[in-house]
Every structure is written in C-alpha cells, then in structure tokens.
Amino acid sequence: MDFFDVVNARRSVRRFLPDPVDRADLERIVAAGVEAPSGCNLQLRQYVIVDDSALVERIRPMSKALAGAPAIIVVLVEPTGTKYGEFWVQDASAAIENMLLAAVALGYGSCWVEGQVRPREDDLRKLLGVPEALRVWSLMPVGKPAETPPRPPKPAPGEITHHNAFGRR
Ligand SMILES: Cc1cc2nc3c(=O)[nH]c(=O)nc-3n(C[C@H](O)[C@H](O)[C@H](O)COP(=O)(O)O)c2cc1C
C-alpha cells in the first residue's frame, strides 16, 4: 500500500475475527516499532507479543477494544529521563504509531489501548512477569477486522495549519 493510503485507512478497530495472526507478521509489526525515533536514542521500549490463546483470553476482558483479538502486542517502556528532559512517553508513542500503521499495511486492524491499561498495569505486570523497572504502557490488539469503523470527526488540516505566523492561512 502507498504510505498515505495506509495513513488514511488506519482506524481504531475494536472488534476482530478469530483467525490467528502469523507470528512473523507480529514480529514485522514490532520491527516497525523498533524503527521509530527515540529521544537521545535511549531505546527505552520493549514488547511482549501475546499470541498464546489462553493468555490472550486473560487480557481481553481488560478492555472492550480487545474484543475477539487473536493477538495482543504489549508495549513496555523504561521511564528514564535524558539530560534534555523526559522523552519516554514520546518514545513509546512513536513506536505505537509505527506499529499501528504497519498492522494496516499487513492487512490487520489494531487500536491504541492505553486509557484502560493504567488501572490494570499491576495485573498485566504479574501476568506477563514484567520487571518493576519497566512500565506496562499500552496494548495493541492485532487481528483481521470484524468491523469497519467510520472516520471520526477530525479537523480539516487547513483549519489548524498556519503559514509562517499563527492565524496566517
Ligand atoms: C494515547 C491514546 C490512548 C488511547 N486509549 C484507548 C483506549 O484505552 N481504548 C480505546 O478503545 N481506544 C483508545 N484510543 C484510541 C482513540 O479512541 C482513537 O484513536 C480516536 O477515537 C480516533 O479514532 P481513529 O484512531 O479511528 O482515528 C487511544 C488513543 C490514544 C492516542
């Protein structure tokens, strides 16, 4: 797919068909995350690919956005600052967006699930054996979409873009 077709086709998919996802595809998606920029190149991210169906079933109830998902990528991040400031949230975010787009390019749906991770972070940590030094930051379901979500309202680029000075269109 053309890059801009991928960008425009991406939607938050929250319902999935049960078809399993190839481990190689999940690894390609993670590899796209690895390629994302990283503040001071500290590379603070790690990933847990969960494709064991019994384990997936234990995670699914944590968010409605995981309904039927055959696989889940769990994003871990080490909350370490740099001499310029804290960039680890941005590091995780850059990787997640790369992975969401990679999933679309490979024909899968996904969703950035973070709001519902915070209250379940300790449960996920225990379930996956994640060390205390890492935050369990986001989940990404991956699977063939069982829905085609409509594009939600977004501003037209021209409404929020300024040329050389604020307010200058
Ligand atoms: C930081 C962040 C956290 C999010 N957390 C959740 C979540 O916990 N559950 C969920 O269903 N969607 C979550 N989303 C997805 C947004 O709801 C979604 O991106 C938004 O509604 C726009 O829709 P679109 O992704 O189809 O463009 C999250 C998105 C971001 C960027």
Side-chain angles (χ1 to χ4, degrees):
M1 279 171 89
D2 169 78
F3 174 75
F4 289 98
D5 290 341
V6 172
V7 168
N8 292 323
R10 188 209 59 78
R11 287 277 69 82
S12 290
V13 171
R14 300 180 176 89
R15 284 178 49 230
F16 301 89
L17 299 175
D19 317 26
V21 180
D22 279 351
R23 174 75 63 89
D25 284 347
L26 293 165
E27 288 173 351
R28 275 186 89 187
I29 292 169
V30 168
V34 174
E35 286 309 309
S38 165
C40 296
N41 201 30
L42 286 187
Q43 300 292 341
L44 303 170
R45 308 162 289 226
Q46 298 204 37
Y47 309 87
V48 182
I49 292 174
V50 182
D51 57 1
D52 174 282
S53 53
L55 202 48
V56 168
E57 266 177 40
R58 296 197 52 192
I59 299 176
R60 272 200 210 127
M62 295 185 188
S63 168
K64 282 184 193 156
L66 306 173
I72 298 168
I73 297 173
V74 182
V75 179
L76 312 176
V77 64
E78 187 188 321
T80 298
T82 75
K83 63 178 175 175
Y84 303 108
E86 300 269 332
F87 297 142
W88 54 273
V89 174
Q90 293 90 321
D91 272 34
S93 302
I96 293 163
E97 181 64 9
N98 266 19
M99 292 195 292
L100 292 173
L101 295 175
V104 172
L106 291 171
Y108 299 107
S110 186
C111 184
W112 185 323
V113 180
E114 189 170 300
Q116 288 148 310
V117 172
R118 268 340 143 255
R120 306 305 300 267
E121 185 172 2
D122 284 343
D123 300 334
L124 283 160
R125 177 186 301 290
K126 278 190 204 106
L127 191 64
L128 303 171
V130 176
E132 287 290 333
L134 295 170
R135 298 289 308 269
V136 181
W137 198 246
S138 303
L139 303 178
M140 270 184 55
V142 181
K144 294 287 178 192
E147 62 170 357
T148 309
R151 180 177 181 274
K154 294 183 190 262
E159 289 170 30
I160 51 169
T161 307
H162 311 267
H163 294 92
N164 298 311
F166 192 89
R168 194 178 293 166
R169 307 288 178 189

